[in-house]
Amino acid sequence: MVLYDSSTLAGSISGSSSSSSKPPPFPLQREQQQDIDGHLAGAGYKVRSSELRKVAQRLERLETAMVNSPADLSQLASDTIHYNPSDLASWVDSLLSEFALNPTCPYEFVTDPVTNRTVVNDSWTTTATNMPLVHQDVSYEEQSLNNKLPIVTAMEEDSGIRLVHMLMTCAECVQCGDFTLATSFLEDMQGLLTQINTVCGIGKVAGHFIDALSRRIFQGIGGGSIDGGSAFENEILYHHFYEACPYLKFAHFTANQAILEAFVGHECVHVVDFNLMHGLQWPALIQALALRPGGPPLLRLTGIGPPSPDGRDSLREIGLRLAELARSVNVRFAFRGVAASRLEDVKPWMLQVNPKESVAVNSIMQLHRLLGSGPNRNSPIETVLSWIRSLNPKIMTVVEQEANHNQPGFLDRFTEALHYYSTMFDSLEACSVQPDKALAEIYIQREITNVVSCEGSARVERHEPLAKWRTRLSGAGFRPLHLGSNAYKQASMLLTLFSAEGYSVEENDGCLTLGWHNRPLIAASAWQAVPDAPAEFPAPDTHRPS
Amino acid sequence: MARSNEVNLNECKMVVPLNTWVLISNFKLAYNLLRRPDGTFNRHLAEFLDRKVPANANPVDGVFSFDVLIDRGTSLLSRIYRPATAEEPQPNVAELEKPVTAEVVPVIIFFHGGSFAHSSANSAIYDTLCRRLVGLCKAVVLSVNYRRAPENRYPCAYDDGWTALKWVNSRPWLQSQKDSKVHIYLAGDSSGGNIVHHVALRAMESGTHVLGNILLNPMFGGQERTESEQRLDGKYFVTLRDRDWYWRAYLPEGEDRDHHACNPFGPNGRSLEGIKFPKSLVVVAGLDLIQDWQLAYVEGLKKADQEVKLLYMEQATIGFYLLPNNNHFHTVMDEISKFVGSDC
């Protein structure tokens, strides 16, 4: 018996992750673009034509070194941490310095990605098993998908396709302002929904999009009470989204790795979390700091979150719990809560950063909320990025949805969201436990509703893809800190532990993405403020010594 | 020892353009890091280093792509590449699987190379190659993300290829207008070429019609050490040692290189006499150390009275078809286009 899955259709419409007309594998600064070898660029490598010869020579040297060395040298080389393979010259150089140093104990040395100097390797980078898992009690469900696949008839497949057609046409009507026609499509679509399986695949996600379109047409774009589900509700939904699928775990895990690395050698550290929620990210960091060689630093955590309406100080409660954990592992810890309904209301003085501290700014899916609906002077994103820079953080970790949901044209946004969220729903189906899954779906549904039915200041889910964030952050005076192969490997291993097959971590020019069936859905990157650089300066190459 | 290595490096530098040399040497270096002497493979590092590109439903140079899940049980994904048409320059999300409109539309099922262990359908080098094939042959191309060794040995790659073939054959939207049938070609390089042969065999056995096989530097081998293997070992990016490693990783444990997967016309192979096998286009690079096996494959087809055209590119190394910066590339692309275009 051959089983077809209606999500074959969903899978096929998850294809587009880029709306740009050219698919560059990486963004380039204008001046360097002319000199990059075009053929190698097509293969995913950026090498300047003027450097080809030099890179070739170094490859030769490496070849000779490997041929003349003990057989297990490859093994050792593969244990080092690799950064940004697209930058071929740097990658080759980093391998060369591995071999140039003491070849009998290479475990001791790694290349610091920021300064490109070879530094002593801290044990946490190679002993991956030291990283404590955040939620030890998460159940690992054996995948038994073959028993659960629905059988989709040809008619259902057809209806699914018709539904997608109608959704697009309806969205187009909305864009043109023809609400009468749009409404009639809505009715037809509701009818079609009864004919197809709405438990999974296209039927499920289509239902949410139909709802969002209805809202837009009938309630207008003010957003009603969508974003205003109470903070308490939002936190619960967030928590279940955290449990149901690996996106947030990946975000936390990858950011923590980068923060740990940035804090090496620093004794007073201060993490600023742009959205504390239940503080799910921090127990792992606290435990990792407790275990670091040389002992833990003094850790300050400032958690930003919405004010609690009912007189409870939820921020403080979370702070207390984290403090308790820190105490139990002997980490000196101080917590401060900053209550703000919007990130742009936070002023840097509220964070009370001490100049002697090393600061990490952590933004998990928050920056996009600052993008506003037009380029004004002092738009919130510019203001916030500017004061972040003024804190001179050792690192800023940024995780964002990998999607182009901030395009001005409604139809484009709608199309992109349809692709993105069908992929995300598809991934949810594969790996969850109730009631996490149902509540996670509501969490995602709220995002969909916001993207589709809101405008202006009510539309806060203004996701932009990594390429755009790179440009924006570089232009604001930040330079990338590359996430390396150890973070990649550990993220991949975490995935296999917690999730179904179908998820993939990918390396993208120094950043890591997590996706479903080869479609990246969430991107993690790390940044550092360029010391006193003006806003328009192109980011210097971090692999050259500064 | 070091001296002869210098000679080797110099030789291969003289026959390929500098950027090709850098590309293939980089692969060689990276692959050396990934293969462990005990037969295991550093998959995490492999995926980290592999340069991948996402599918793009917006046409670039007239070609758009999207990913489909062909088999959920094995997570078998494939990437489909289609030409954007004049009437539909900007395909919309519902139109990705719109029926093909021409009288005859070749559908090329492509198997990427990587010696059964490396690369994916979304590897940048293969995404580029598949896009070229679309324009070249006015075809729809489906690139199969088959399971790889050593985690998945024989016959997984062939199973996945067969699953993809059945899937393609049963898509109404891929049927040519002329006869309401899907016009299927199989193509692949290196291990992909090997997969082409074995999937074609299965197709013939079950009566599924394949119009032609295209094998680019196909990966074959055998227990015996042939003259070309000895002469060219280590000279042009590839060593016998790494070839042996990949066969050990793919073939069932305990099997040697005369297993029919590796050596289809060897002592354990089967004759194709009397079988209606698809016509084949086999491209052999004159500087590829396994060419004796590839030429033996061509001979095996000829002996069984099968239609086969051999393209022997004397001064070509492995991977010459990855970058359009040499004559061999253009010659081969022309031949492929004629091979597919002669479908009637």
Side-chain angles (χ1 to χ4, degrees):
Chain A
M1 174 161 82
V2 178
L3 293 178
Y4 288 92
D5 187 336
S6 66
S7 61
T8 308
L9 183 64
S12 73
I13 65 174
S14 69
S16 162
S17 68
S18 156
S19 319
S20 60
S21 57
K22 267 219 170 287
F26 46 84
L28 289 172
Q29 302 302 328
R30 221 170 296 122
E31 307 83 63
Q32 297 165 335
Q33 219 162 352
Q34 269 93 36
D35 193 29
I36 298 283
D37 182 283
H39 289 312
L40 290 179
Y45 297 98
K46 48 180 181 180
V47 186
R48 298 210 190 92
S49 306
S50 47
E51 285 193 322
L52 265 178
R53 200 152 292 281
K54 183 181 82 167
V55 172
Q57 282 164 354
R58 298 198 184 180
L59 278 167
E60 273 185 288
R61 276 175 59 197
L62 261 173
E63 156 106 30
T64 314
M66 286 183 66
V67 163
N68 294 334
S69 301
D72 54 0
L73 203 51
S74 315
Q75 173 67 41
L76 301 173
S78 80
D79 284 340
T80 69
I81 302 171
H82 300 259
Y83 293 94
N84 197 358
S86 283
D87 185 351
L88 202 43
S90 300
W91 183 68
V92 171
D93 284 350
S94 70
L95 279 178
L96 263 177
S97 56
E98 269 303 304
F99 282 88
L101 290 171
N102 189 349
T104 58
C105 30
Y107 282 118
E108 291 180 12
F109 302 100
V110 294
T111 309
D112 181 303
V114 174
T115 63
N116 203 36
R117 283 181 298 116
T118 319
V119 298
V120 173
N121 187 7
D122 287 308
S123 60
W124 70 264
T125 57
T126 50
T127 51
T129 49
N130 279 353
M131 272 300 279
L133 301 173
V134 174
H135 281 249
Q136 313 263 2
D137 55 348
V138 171
S139 61
Y140 170 53
E141 198 183 45
E142 272 282 302
Q143 191 183 342
S144 55
L145 286 176
N146 283 328
N147 304 336
K148 295 181 193 153
L149 281 178
I151 301 173
V152 178
T153 63
M155 189 189 92
E156 274 191 33
E157 244 185 38
D158 270 341
S159 297
I161 296 175
R162 280 175 62 205
L163 195 46
V164 173
H165 267 289
M166 267 194 236
L167 271 169
M168 302 300 302
T169 316
C170 183
E172 208 172 340
C173 293
V174 168
Q175 172 162 276
C176 303
D178 189 345
F179 292 116
T180 320
L181 189 52
T183 309
S184 80
F185 273 115
L186 275 181
E187 287 161 9
D188 290 344
M189 288 193 285
Q190 299 285 12
L192 255 191
L193 270 184
T194 62
Q195 290 176 31
I196 70 175
N197 190 343
T198 55
V199 169
C200 63
I202 187 67
K204 163 157 275 174
V205 74
H208 295 313
F209 277 87
I210 292 169
D211 283 343
L213 279 171
S214 302
R215 232 182 246 267
R216 189 184 180 100
I217 294 169
F218 297 119
Q219 289 179 21
I221 54 184
S225 61
I226 296 141
D227 195 53
S230 74
F232 182 62
E233 267 177 37
N234 286 343
E235 279 177 22
I236 297 201
L237 292 177
Y238 183 91
H239 202 136
H240 287 283
F241 179 67
Y242 177 94
E243 294 293 348
C245 45
Y247 303 107
L248 288 178
K249 296 183 191 101
F250 165 78
H252 293 173
F253 179 79
T254 310
N256 283 347
Q257 284 277 83
I259 293 172
L260 266 173
E261 211 168 319
F263 280 168
V264 165
H266 295 272
E267 294 308 313
C268 290
V269 304
H270 183 172
V271 175
V272 177
D273 186 1
F274 276 5
N275 188 23
L276 188 67
M277 281 292 182
H278 289 167
L280 293 171
Q281 183 172 350
W282 306 117
L285 184 71
I286 292 171
Q287 286 169 325
L289 285 173
L291 291 173
R292 82 172 190 180
L298 162 62
L299 170 66
R300 284 184 58 206
L301 174 64
T302 300
I304 299 172
S308 330
D310 49 0
R312 280 171 58 233
D313 187 346
S314 52
L315 288 175
R316 187 165 168 274
E317 283 173 20
I318 295 163
L320 283 174
R321 276 195 269 126
L322 291 173
E324 194 46 55
L325 169 65
R327 193 172 15 249
S328 74
V329 292
N330 292 321
V331 174
R332 291 166 299 149
F333 177 80
F335 176 82
R336 181 182 185 77
V338 173
S341 5
R342 299 176 316 165
L343 197 50
E344 56 254 51
D345 295 335
V346 174
K347 304 281 176 272
W349 59 262
M350 297 175 186
L351 308 175
Q352 302 208 334
V353 169
N354 185 317
K356 295 209 187 72
E357 295 174 326
S358 303
V359 177
V361 173
N362 182 75
S363 166
I364 309 288
M365 300 176 342
Q366 298 305 302
L367 290 187
H368 64 255
R369 307 173 81 87
L370 300 169
L371 289 178
S373 48
N376 356 329
R377 250 168 25 100
N378 297 330
S379 63
I381 183 72
E382 282 169 31
T383 311
V384 171
L385 286 179
S386 154
W387 65 245
I388 294 175
R389 264 198 87 232
S390 72
L391 298 178
N392 193 23
K394 269 272 148 304
I395 187 168
M396 173 173 66
T397 45
V398 175
V399 180
E400 285 287 327
Q401 290 89 334
E402 181 60 7
N404 202 353
H405 294 153
N406 196 25
Q407 302 168 73
F410 174 72
L411 184 57
D412 288 335
R413 239 174 35 237
F414 185 87
T415 311
E416 173 83 7
L418 196 54
H419 282 206
Y420 181 86
Y421 288 106
S422 11
T423 310
M424 184 164 270
F425 265 87
D426 199 25
S427 78
L428 253 196
E429 275 162 50
C431 81
S432 346
V433 173
Q434 296 293 5
D436 292 332
K437 183 172 157 193
L439 293 172
E441 285 176 4
I442 299 179
Y443 176 87
I444 299 173
Q445 186 192 350
R446 288 193 175 187
E447 267 186 31
I448 295 175
T449 311
N450 191 270
V451 174
V452 171
S453 71
C454 296
E455 291 296 343
S457 56
R459 179 154 62 90
V460 292
E461 300 296 346
R462 294 179 177 265
H463 314 142
E464 287 191 345
L466 190 51
K468 279 200 176 161
W469 283 111
R470 279 202 184 101
T471 309
R472 195 184 286 283
L473 291 172
S474 302
F478 291 89
R479 67 176 176 203
L481 287 175
H482 293 150
L483 304 172
S485 56
N486 61 332
Y488 176 92
K489 175 175 174 179
Q490 294 184 46
S492 299
M493 280 166 31
L494 241 200
L495 268 188
T496 35
L497 268 183
F498 285 115
S499 314
E501 231 190 283
Y503 287 100
S504 51
V505 184
E506 281 181 21
E507 195 279 343
N508 182 329
D509 203 20
C511 305
L512 295 185
T513 63
L514 172 62
W516 173 257
H517 286 161
N518 288 348
R519 157 80 210 240
L521 292 175
I522 189 168
S525 58
W527 303 83
Q528 192 179 52
V530 173
D532 53 58
E536 301 303 302
F537 200 75
D541 188 326
T542 56
H543 284 285
R544 308 249 179 277
S546 42
Chain B
M1 203 37 183
R3 189 129 200 285
S4 71
N5 279 326
E6 276 167 35
V7 171
N8 295 341
L9 296 172
N10 285 332
E11 274 183 50
C12 59
K13 266 192 290 181
M14 295 198 291
V15 296
V16 295
L18 186 55
N19 51 7
T20 302
W21 192 91
V22 166
L23 182 68
I24 303 187
S25 299
N26 165 61
F27 285 147
K28 179 171 125 180
L29 169 65
Y31 294 178
N32 281 341
L33 300 182
L34 302 172
R35 294 189 302 269
R36 298 200 192 100
D38 65 355
T40 60
F41 188 74
N42 192 337
R43 181 61 64 191
H44 289 122
L45 186 57
E47 294 305 295
F48 179 81
L49 294 176
D50 189 27
R51 307 292 80 209
K52 299 179 194 286
V53 297
N56 193 350
N58 291 308
V60 175
D61 294 333
V63 180
F64 66 95
S65 64
F66 56 98
D67 292 332
V68 291
L69 180 65
I70 288 185
D71 182 80
R72 193 170 258 258
T74 52
S75 290
L76 180 61
L77 284 167
S78 289
R79 180 163 290 179
I80 298 183
Y81 301 83
R82 297 186 66 167
T85 58
E87 312 85 53
E88 202 79 60
Q90 195 76 18
N92 117 10
V93 62
E95 242 106 52
L96 296 175
E97 295 188 1
K98 197 172 148 159
V100 296
T101 48
E103 276 294 290
V104 172
V105 178
V107 179
I108 302 176
I109 303 181
F110 181 79
F111 301 99
H112 66 80
S115 307
F116 292 105
H118 297 283
S119 295
S120 306
N122 62 348
S123 295
I125 47 171
Y126 288 113
D127 186 86
T128 303
L129 182 57
C130 287
R131 284 170 172 274
R132 278 197 228 289
L133 290 176
V134 171
L136 195 65
C137 304
K138 313 279 180 287
V140 172
V141 176
L142 182 132
S143 181
V144 183
N145 201 44
Y146 58 88
R147 282 170 293 168
R148 295 162 304 184
E151 301 94 318
N152 301 287
R153 291 176 178 268
Y154 164 95
C156 293
Y158 304 157
D159 289 345
D160 290 350
W162 176 231
T163 304
L165 177 51
K166 284 188 292 187
W167 188 90
V168 165
N169 205 33
S170 63
R171 298 302 103 188
W173 60 276
L174 286 174
Q175 290 168 353
S176 291
Q177 296 296 315
K178 177 175 122 166
D179 51 7
S180 295
K181 290 202 172 85
V182 186
H183 289 218
I184 298 176
Y185 291 82
L186 301 176
D189 73 309
S190 168
S191 49
N194 177 293
I195 296 173
V196 165
H197 170 79
H198 289 281
V199 171
L201 267 184
R202 280 208 213 178
M204 292 304 115
E205 277 159 14
S206 40
T208 308
H209 191 40
V210 170
L211 288 167
N213 291 346
I214 300 168
L215 290 75
L216 283 173
N217 297 8
M219 186 171 158
F220 294 117
Q223 269 309 103
E224 187 196 330
R225 298 303 194 193
T226 69
E227 184 272 337
S228 67
E229 284 173 324
Q230 284 158 2
R231 174 170 48 93
L232 295 171
D233 185 9
K235 292 262 168 56
Y236 296 97
F237 309 111
V238 186
T239 64
L240 262 184
R241 226 170 125 198
D242 68 61
R243 294 296 98 203
D244 288 352
W245 190 98
Y246 291 115
W247 284 120
R248 270 199 305 277
Y250 179 65
L251 296 170
E253 311 225 22
E255 293 284 352
D256 69 16
R257 290 184 305 275
D258 281 333
H259 186 274
H260 74 96
C262 176
N263 196 356
F265 293 121
N268 302 312
R270 67 177 270 195
S271 163
L272 294 184
E273 282 184 57
I275 294 185
K276 181 74 183 69
F277 201 64
K279 64 174 181 175
S280 300
L281 175 65
V282 182
V283 177
V284 176
L287 299 176
D288 188 344
L289 81 168
I290 61 170
Q291 62 188 271
D292 286 345
W293 295 110
Q294 295 161 337
L295 294 170
Y297 175 76
V298 171
E299 281 313 300
L301 286 177
K302 284 190 179 149
K303 278 213 201 87
D305 267 319
Q306 303 296 345
E307 191 185 333
V308 53
K309 176 164 187 180
L310 167 65
L311 273 183
Y312 186 83
M313 317 301 301
E314 242 181 74
Q315 284 295 294
T317 62
I318 53 145
F320 72 87
Y321 45 81
L322 295 176
L323 299 183
N325 58 2
N326 58 85
N327 287 332
H328 313 300
F329 174 92
H330 295 291
T331 308
V332 167
M333 291 300 144
D334 273 341
E335 289 290 338
I336 291 178
S337 138
K338 281 192 233 145
F339 184 78
V340 172
S342 67
D343 176 12
C344 51

